[in-house]
């Protein structure tokens, strides 16, 4: 019979302040997982060549319609005129894909940090309060009596857990995956027990470096 793990965690403003960098790091780490998996599924070089070819074909077609059919009405040429700059922009994006990717990733890093802050702001509005966790086999229950909340998570639906010292983020299996639950860890003993329970349930566990 699987061991049952039961513990309580008091969520205070101080705990949330210390945990915010860990939540940010966990979200970004999972984002990197998705990014790398997407790159493996869709090779960047092939995508870049296909995008540039599509843009070139679109530019040539629009140019041909504009130049070679001057007898057409201005109204009938509205679409070629409108599509020409769009294909130019598309070609530019794919031609300079590497630099655009660097800028986009920097932007996404800032978006992830804001997301972590917003998630914790929702928790801060109700803090302090206590949450009780019960791990039993492949089932996780979380109960917060102050908020009248009771959440059940089937660990079979969880692909990966990314854990810091004060929290563990559980992400779903379905592609591309999403944050399903944040499990709070009050002390090293609870952290060790929770990570062991997740591993026993078949969840891949990544531990963030302190």
């Amino acid at each position: 019979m699987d061991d049952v793990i039961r513990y309580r965690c008091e969520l205070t403003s101080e705990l949330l302040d210390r945990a915010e960098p860990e939540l940010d790091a966990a979200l970004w780490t999972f984002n990197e997982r998705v990014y790398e998996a997407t790159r493996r599924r869709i090779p960047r070089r092939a995508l870049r060549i296909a995008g540039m070819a599509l843009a070139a074909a679109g530019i040539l077609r629009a140019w041909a319609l504009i130049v070679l059919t001057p007898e057409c009405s201005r109204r009938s040429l509205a679409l070629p005129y409108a599509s020409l700059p769009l294909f130019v922009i598309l070609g530019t994006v794919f031609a300079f894909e590497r630099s655009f990717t660097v800028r986009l990733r920097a932007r996404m890093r800032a978006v992830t940090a804001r997301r972590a802050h917003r998630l914790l702001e929702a928790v801060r509005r109700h803090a302090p309060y206590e949450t009780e966790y019960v791990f039993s086999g492949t089932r996780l229950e979380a109960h917060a009596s102050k908020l009248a909340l009771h959440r059940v998570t089937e660990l079979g639906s969880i692909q990966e857990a990314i854990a810091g010292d004060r929290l563990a983020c559980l992400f779903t299996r379905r592609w591309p995956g999403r944050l399903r639950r944040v499990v709070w860890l009050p002390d090293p003993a609870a952290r060790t027990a929770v990570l062991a329970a997740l591993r026993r349930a078949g969840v891949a566990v990544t531990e963030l470096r302190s």
Side-chain angles (χ1 to χ4, degrees):
M1 183 175 179
D2 293 318
D3 293 334
V4 175
I5 299 172
R6 185 188 303 269
Y7 69 93
R8 297 174 183 270
C9 183
E10 181 77 16
L11 274 71
T12 63
S13 296
E14 293 78 12
L15 173 62
L16 298 175
D17 289 341
R18 294 195 300 269
E20 184 167 335
E22 293 183 7
L23 179 58
D24 177 25
L27 295 176
W28 181 247
T29 298
F30 190 77
N31 183 80
E32 288 292 273
R33 296 268 201 281
V34 174
Y35 172 71
E36 292 299 331
T38 303
R39 286 186 60 184
R40 289 192 296 270
R41 291 186 176 198
I42 308 175
R44 288 176 61 182
R45 179 177 174 80
L47 181 63
R48 183 166 175 257
I49 292 174
M52 292 177 65
L54 176 63
I59 292 171
L60 289 174
R61 183 176 183 277
W63 177 83
L65 288 173
I66 294 170
V67 174
L68 301 181
T69 56
E71 70 280 0
C72 293
S73 66
R74 186 175 184 84
R75 185 173 182 178
S76 65
L77 292 176
L79 182 58
Y81 272 110
S83 64
L84 185 58
L86 295 179
F87 282 114
V88 170
I89 293 172
L90 180 65
T92 303
V93 168
F94 280 103
F96 298 97
E97 177 264 341
R98 292 182 180 178
S99 61
F100 277 111
T101 298
V102 171
R103 294 180 183 180
L104 179 61
R105 284 166 61 76
R107 176 67 175 171
M108 286 303 300
R109 188 69 185 89
V111 169
T112 299
R114 287 198 296 271
R115 183 189 177 197
H117 184 74
R118 286 197 303 269
L119 287 172
L120 292 189
E121 278 299 302
V123 180
R124 285 187 178 97
R125 285 196 293 269
H126 302 286
Y129 66 91
E130 187 177 71
T131 299
E132 180 183 22
Y133 292 98
V134 179
F135 283 82
S136 178
T138 60
R139 185 183 178 92
L140 163 64
E141 296 182 56
H143 179 69
S145 56
K146 178 180 177 180
L147 307 182
L149 290 178
H150 184 77
R151 297 286 184 264
V152 177
T153 304
E154 296 297 335
L155 297 180
S157 67
I158 302 301
Q159 175 184 359
E160 181 178 10
I162 301 179
D165 293 332
R166 301 170 183 87
L167 57 79
C169 294
L170 309 185
F171 297 91
T172 59
R173 290 185 180 278
R174 182 174 297 181
W175 176 264
R178 65 181 179 84
L179 178 64
R180 176 67 180 278
R181 191 77 62 228
V182 176
V183 178
W184 297 97
L185 308 171
D187 52 55
R191 181 181 186 275
T192 299
V194 167
L195 299 191
L198 290 171
R199 290 187 172 105
R200 285 196 300 272
V203 177
V205 176
T206 298
E207 299 184 50
L208 296 173
R209 295 181 179 178
S210 301

